[in-house]
């Protein structure tokens, strides 16, 4: 719990536990569970997420006794509760009384009850019942000492993030009227003179269902915005009730990492603690790389405050085509990665593996074999080890690099089929840019396109399709202060109503970047063009290029080396001295620059690009790259805690600060070999090995690199 977020969570230790479903088990099993939880070091569980039908068996008929008993038993065992409002899915009696609250898909078909999230987010019947149930839960348990955190609903948007029913259309119209004021404003914003789409009555507007051809892109973008806002309204409804009744208890809802359908910047502003459900695929040896991006996003949503990993799998999941289990040690290293990136704990789904239902093959801390299960033995071992990391609780990750996450640009560049190419994908581009910075040894925060950008030396913008003058000013000020801004292709293309900026891309970024895009030039399927860097090296361009016109004073760093764009500028840099005189007045001794990357580069090309950008910012970069190695530093006022993680299955050797103290000591050091030679300390990490090195806080955090003694071919 931090001073900045006093209601975050009522727990005086790193959180460890998982989702608990006592209503699936007899009371005899409850007592076994509490004994095993204590053995495993569990100090908090989430319940009763999907138990509304068991708590209210008929309208107004409540059966609280079983929940009263289990909460009392948990608290007597020293286990706190992340108490769900039980509004994750409606009971059958509510659905059958009000079938109109069921969601519709894009084809206009009503979805049936039989899974979870069987509701339209806009339904007034659903909202009325959600408010009633939330108030009942808060009245019943708001004063219970076990209550550490309110858990609102569950994974908003997982199954139903958009609804096309008549109620959603009516809500969409109200949202549009509030946004545009009148039909003239809407018609102007939507550019309805194309294809004769002018509206003469609000009632004529529907949610954009399947149509005869491509749908108006501005309508699609607005529907994405509206749909996210509709779920946010539903969340805010519960938050307001809980804060009214229990103002001292923190409120959260569990996010799903970097998710397209919901603008988590807005959701995070409404809650006290960011929590995340993260499921990297054990079958992917590089799954930890996008996981690092997800965690950087989570810690950034509330300005770097600690967050909480609320769900992960102890081993395999049940919803992929092939559900590979986690190898021994994989659960531990994945948990440590989340903590390294700012999580104040590591929780799981689920505590005890179900015997029936859709998740009976989803792993749990206690598997089908009970306490003999490998998953329990690993969970128990990690629970003991976690106590050694208590000093890091409340500390913050140190990063000098930020990546812009902008939902308007994500939605706008993916909602419509009317684009130069469907191959330029916002998430793939964002992950690729992050992966290159990760490979060079840096933890990366995320920021909104509106900032703030204070405290960063490098800001990267993989794509900003929707851009405005206010964002351009934030970026210009950042560069003028000495920052390195790197902007990716198809940026500054349209305004917030999907109108192409006068003069074309990059629109309001034109003066800052010192270039103009004459045409987007996507690469045909099956081909790959090339880009040659002026400093040396040629790299593939597999999907996208652009015809650039370069302003005077803008340096060309790379040119296309094949195809119709052969010889034309591909990557540019405009130094702060080349900006307008008004910006030069803000300049510092370190020259800032705005870089533009007009192409989609392969990984090696991005690594070369960002190595140069980091050097321009005075930041270090790894000479030798091993994607299995990850190092992240969390710091408090006096101490740097550097997590050094080996995500691979072969040992690696790294250089570390001399005199560092490994918090994982004891059992961990029995498998880690360290030696001091030539004034340098090296640390050898075995398969899935980890160390957490405590050193006095320095002006810059330790930068961990592969040792020259390390043989990458081992």
């Amino acid at each position: 719990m931090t001073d900045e977020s006093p209601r975050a969570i009522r727990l005086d230790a790193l959180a460890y536990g998982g989702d608990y479903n006592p209503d699936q088990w007899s009371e005899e099993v409850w007592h076994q569970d509490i004994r095993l939880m204590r053995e495993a070091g569990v100090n908090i569980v989430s319940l009763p997420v999907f138990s509304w039908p068991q708590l209210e068996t008929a309208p107004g008929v409540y059966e609280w006794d079983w929940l009263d008993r289990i909460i009392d038993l948990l608290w007597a065992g020293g286990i706190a509760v992340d108490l769900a409002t039980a509004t994750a899915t409606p009971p059958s009696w509510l659905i059958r009384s009000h079938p109109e609250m069921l969601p519709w898909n894009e084809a206009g078909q009503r979805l049936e009850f039989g899974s979870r999230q069987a509701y339209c987010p806009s339904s007034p019947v659903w909202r009325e019942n959600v408010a009633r149930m939330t108030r009942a839960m808060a009245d019943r348990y708001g004063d219970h000492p076990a209550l550490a955190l309110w858990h609102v609903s569950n994974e908003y948007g997982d199954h139903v993030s958009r609804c096309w029913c008549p109620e959603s259309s009516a809500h969409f119209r109200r949202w549009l009227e509030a946004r545009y004021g009148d039909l003239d404003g809407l018609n102007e914003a939507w550019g309805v003179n194309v294809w004769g789409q002018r509206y003469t009555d609000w009632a004529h507007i529907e949610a954009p269902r399947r149509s005869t051809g491509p749908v108006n892109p501005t309508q699609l973008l607005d529907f994405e915005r509206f749909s996210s806002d509709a779920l946010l309204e539903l969340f805010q409804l519960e938050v307001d009730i809980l804060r009214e009744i229990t103002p001292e208890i923190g409120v959260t809802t569990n996010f799903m990492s970097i998710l397209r359908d919901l603008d988590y910047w807005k959701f995070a502003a409404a809650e006290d603690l960011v929590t995340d459900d993260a499921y990297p695929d054990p079958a992917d040896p590089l799954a930890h790389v996008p996981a690092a991006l997800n965690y950087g996003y989570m810690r950034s949503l509330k300005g770097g405050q600690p967050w909480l990993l609320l769900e992960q799998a102890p081993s395999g999941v049940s919803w992929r085509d092939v559900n590979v289990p986690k190898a021994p040690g994989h659960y531990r290293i994945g948990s440590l990665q989340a903590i390294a990136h700012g999580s104040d704990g590591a929780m799981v789904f689920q505590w005890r593996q179900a015997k029936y239902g859709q998740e009976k093959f989803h792993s749990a801390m206690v598997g089908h074999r009970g306490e003999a299960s490998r998953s329990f033995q690993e969970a128990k071992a990690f629970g003991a080890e976690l106590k050694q990391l208590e000093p890091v609780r409340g500390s913050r990750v140190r990063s000098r690099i930020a990546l812009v996450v902008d939902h308007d640009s994500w939605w706008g560049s993916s909602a419509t089929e009317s684009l130069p190419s469907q191959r330029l994908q916002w998430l793939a581009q964002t992950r690729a840019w992050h992966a290159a910075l990760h490979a060079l040894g840096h933890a990366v925060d995320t920021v909104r396109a509106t900032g703030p950008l204070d405290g960063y030396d490098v800001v990267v913008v993989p794509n900003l399709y929707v851009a405005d003058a206010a964002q351009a000013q934030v970026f210009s000020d950042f560069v003028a202060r000495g920052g390195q801004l790197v902007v990716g292709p198809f940026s500054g293309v349209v305004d917030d109503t999907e109108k192409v900026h006068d003069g074309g891309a990059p629109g309001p970024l034109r003066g800052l970047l010192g270039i103009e895009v004459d045409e987007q030039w996507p690469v045909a399927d099956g081909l790959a063009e090339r880009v040659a860097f002026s400093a040396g090296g040629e790299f593939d361009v597999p999907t996208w290029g652009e015809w650039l016109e370069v302003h005077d004073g803008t340096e060309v760093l790379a040119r296309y080396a094949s195809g119709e764009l052969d010889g034309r500028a591909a990557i540019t840099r405009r130094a702060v001295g080349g900006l307008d005189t008004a910006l030069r007045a803000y300049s510092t001794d370190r020259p800032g620059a705005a870089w533009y990357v007009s192409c989609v580069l392969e990984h090696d090309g991005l690594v070369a690009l960002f190595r140069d950008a980091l050097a321009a910012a005075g930041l270090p970069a790894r000479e030798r790259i091993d994607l299995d190695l990850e190092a992240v530093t969390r710091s408090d006022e006096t101490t740097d805690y550097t997590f050094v993680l080996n995500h691979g299955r072969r040992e690696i050797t790294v250089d570390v600060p001399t005199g560092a103290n490994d918090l994982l000591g004891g059992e961990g050091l029995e498998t880690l070999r360290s030696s001091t030679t030539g004034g340098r300390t090296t640390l050898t990490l075995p398969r899935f090995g980890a160390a957490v090195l405590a050193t006095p806080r320095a002006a810059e955090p330790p930068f961990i690199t592969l040792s020259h003694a390390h043989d990458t071919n081992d």
Side-chain angles (χ1 to χ4, degrees):
M1 184 161 65
T2 66
D3 292 338
E4 294 84 352
S5 185
R7 293 181 301 188
I9 185 168
R10 225 164 43 173
L11 195 67
D12 58 359
L14 292 171
Y16 192 54
D19 278 58
Y20 186 36
N21 300 293
D23 43 333
Q24 296 178 11
W25 304 95
S26 69
E27 294 202 26
E28 179 183 356
V29 175
W30 295 359
H31 291 280
Q32 296 174 19
D33 283 335
I34 292 170
R35 173 180 63 83
L36 294 177
M37 287 177 189
R38 289 172 62 87
E39 284 187 25
V42 167
N43 57 18
I44 186 169
V45 295
S46 302
L47 82 167
V49 177
F50 295 106
S51 299
W52 189 342
Q54 290 89 312
L55 292 169
E56 188 179 14
T57 56
V61 179
Y62 294 100
E63 295 188 4
W64 301 111
D65 288 353
W66 68 271
L67 188 55
D68 292 346
R69 292 196 301 278
I70 189 59
I71 292 177
D72 287 344
L73 286 169
L74 288 164
W75 185 238
I79 300 163
V81 173
D82 166 38
L83 190 62
T85 54
T87 55
T89 204
S92 61
W93 56 258
L94 180 56
I95 289 289
R96 295 312 175 209
S97 298
H98 295 280
E100 73 277 9
M101 63 173 276
L102 285 166
W104 288 23
N105 65 17
E106 189 179 8
Q109 301 165 320
R110 189 169 71 186
L111 304 179
E112 185 47 83
F113 179 75
S115 187
R116 60 186 187 178
Q117 293 188 352
Y119 59 79
C120 163
S122 299
S123 166
V125 171
W126 173 238
R127 293 188 176 200
E128 176 187 344
N129 279 274
V130 162
R132 182 179 56 78
M133 187 61 183
T134 301
R135 188 170 293 277
M137 290 287 291
D139 286 340
R140 183 79 180 184
Y141 299 108
D143 293 329
H144 200 291
L147 178 57
L149 183 68
W150 282 114
H151 179 105
V152 174
S153 189
N154 186 76
E155 294 184 337
Y156 281 117
D158 183 23
H159 297 285
V160 177
S161 63
R162 289 11 184 180
C163 178
W164 289 264
C165 76
E167 190 61 58
S168 287
S169 289
H171 190 191
F172 184 39
R173 289 191 287 271
R174 295 193 299 272
W175 184 92
L176 291 168
E177 192 165 6
R179 182 176 179 86
Y180 296 115
D182 55 32
L183 280 173
D184 286 342
L186 177 132
N187 282 323
E188 170 62 25
W190 282 16
V192 294
N193 291 342
V194 174
W195 288 11
Q197 302 296 293
R198 180 167 294 275
Y199 291 95
T200 57
D201 193 301
W202 286 106
H204 297 169
I205 300 171
E206 296 286 341
R209 301 191 190 102
R210 191 171 300 167
S211 189
T212 55
V215 174
N216 185 318
T218 317
Q219 181 180 4
L220 292 172
L221 176 56
D222 272 344
F223 188 67
E224 300 286 352
R225 292 165 170 153
F226 154 75
S227 297
S228 179
D229 284 354
L231 280 166
L232 178 60
E233 287 178 19
L234 189 58
F235 178 43
Q236 190 70 59
L237 173 71
E238 295 199 54
V239 170
D240 290 345
I241 293 169
L242 295 172
R243 286 185 176 154
E244 171 196 337
I245 299 172
T246 58
E248 73 286 357
I249 303 297
V251 177
T252 191
T253 187
N254 45 337
F255 294 162
M256 292 181 287
S257 296
I258 189 163
L259 181 73
R260 177 191 181 279
D261 287 357
L262 301 185
D263 185 344
Y264 282 156
W265 294 111
K266 291 183 177 180
F267 277 76
E271 65 184 358
D272 299 299
L273 176 69
V274 169
T275 57
D276 187 39
D277 297 353
Y279 291 95
D281 188 352
D284 179 0
L286 294 179
H288 59 278
V289 179
L293 170 61
N294 296 336
Y295 300 154
Y297 183 39
M298 291 300 121
R299 70 167 174 267
S300 302
L301 287 169
K302 291 188 80 68
Q305 291 181 22
W307 56 284
L308 178 60
L309 177 63
L310 201 63
E311 287 188 25
Q312 62 174 321
S315 188
V317 299
S318 59
W319 39 264
R320 293 189 175 102
D321 289 344
V322 178
N323 296 298
V324 175
K326 290 183 176 178
H330 207 161
Y331 163 69
R332 173 182 181 262
I333 196 73
S335 298
L336 288 172
Q337 184 189 24
I339 296 169
H341 282 278
S343 175
D344 269 0
M347 299 179 66
V348 307
F349 182 88
Q350 50 190 326
W351 163 252
R352 182 177 284 274
Q353 195 166 13
K355 293 182 66 174
Y356 50 82
Q358 293 93 324
E359 292 177 318
K360 62 181 176 289
F361 296 117
H362 193 295
S363 62
M365 279 181 155
V366 179
H368 288 144
R369 293 180 61 232
E371 60 188 293
S373 302
R374 177 177 69 89
S375 58
F376 179 72
Q377 296 305 316
E378 290 199 32
K380 181 179 175 180
F382 184 68
E385 191 174 36
L386 188 62
K387 294 178 174 62
Q388 299 168 250
L389 297 182
E390 185 58 29
V392 308
R393 182 165 60 95
S395 62
R396 298 192 176 204
V397 173
R398 300 178 69 180
S399 175
R400 306 293 295 178
I401 302 173
L403 180 150
V404 169
V405 172
D406 181 74
H407 277 270
D408 271 4
S409 293
W410 195 351
W411 292 329
S413 62
S414 61
T416 178
E417 58 192 283
S418 303
L419 294 166
S421 172
Q422 297 292 333
R423 304 294 180 260
L424 180 62
Q425 298 178 346
W426 187 95
L427 183 57
Q429 173 82 342
T430 296
R431 284 177 170 168
W433 280 40
H434 166 266
L437 291 164
H438 179 94
L440 290 166
H442 287 273
V444 180
D445 288 348
T446 65
V447 290
R448 306 180 84 160
T450 50
L453 305 182
D454 299 338
Y456 297 109
D457 296 312
V458 176
V459 171
V460 301
V461 190
N463 173 264
L464 193 67
Y465 171 69
V466 180
D468 61 29
Q471 295 164 344
Q473 187 62 55
V474 169
F475 293 146
S476 294
D477 290 346
F478 170 73
V479 171
R481 292 194 299 269
Q484 302 295 317
L485 176 77
V486 187
V487 179
F490 208 42
S491 292
V493 180
V494 299
D495 65 15
D496 66 353
T497 64
E498 276 273 12
K499 291 185 180 66
V500 174
H501 288 292
D502 290 343
L509 303 176
R510 187 177 302 121
L512 173 64
L513 296 172
I515 56 96
E516 297 177 31
V517 178
D518 188 79
E519 282 184 286
Q520 288 84 30
W521 209 287
V523 178
D525 286 348
L527 298 180
E529 304 297 354
R530 301 281 286 173
V531 160
F533 281 48
S534 300
E538 280 198 14
F539 304 97
D540 280 347
V541 175
T543 57
W544 185 276
E546 292 174 352
W547 181 300
L548 297 187
E549 298 292 343
V550 180
H551 293 183
D552 291 343
T554 301
E555 181 183 5
V556 176
L557 301 179
R559 295 184 181 275
Y560 292 99
S562 66
E564 296 295 334
L565 298 180
D566 191 5
R568 301 204 63 85
I571 301 173
T572 62
R573 178 174 60 198
R574 189 169 179 83
V576 69
L579 300 179
D580 294 339
T581 304
L583 289 178
R584 291 191 201 123
Y586 294 97
S587 296
T588 63
D589 291 339
R590 186 183 66 195
W595 309 49
Y596 185 66
V597 185
S598 71
C599 51
V600 171
L601 283 170
E602 60 169 316
H603 177 74
D604 288 347
L606 287 170
V607 168
L609 169 72
F610 288 128
R611 190 183 295 281
D612 290 344
L614 292 173
L619 295 178
R622 288 183 186 145
E623 269 184 59
R624 305 172 67 196
I625 288 174
D626 188 330
L627 291 174
D628 289 340
L629 170 63
E630 181 174 19
V632 185
T633 298
R634 293 181 64 163
S635 302
D636 58 26
E637 292 181 357
T638 62
T639 308
D640 288 330
Y641 303 101
T642 301
F643 289 69
V644 187
L645 310 174
N646 177 10
H647 293 280
R649 288 168 167 80
R650 56 180 175 77
E651 70 176 28
I652 59 176
T653 301
V654 296
D655 291 333
V656 299
T658 298
N661 173 43
D662 182 9
L663 295 186
L664 295 179
E667 294 180 13
L669 282 180
E670 291 179 7
T671 58
L672 302 180
R673 303 192 306 276
S674 62
S675 62
T676 303
T677 56
R680 206 184 52 195
T681 299
T682 62
L683 177 69
T684 299
L685 297 173
R687 160 192 170 109
F688 296 145
V692 181
L693 306 176
T695 53
R697 180 173 176 131
E700 296 295 334
F703 190 73
I704 305 300
T705 62
L706 288 171
S707 172
H708 288 288
H710 174 67
D711 183 355
T712 57
N713 295 317
D714 283 351

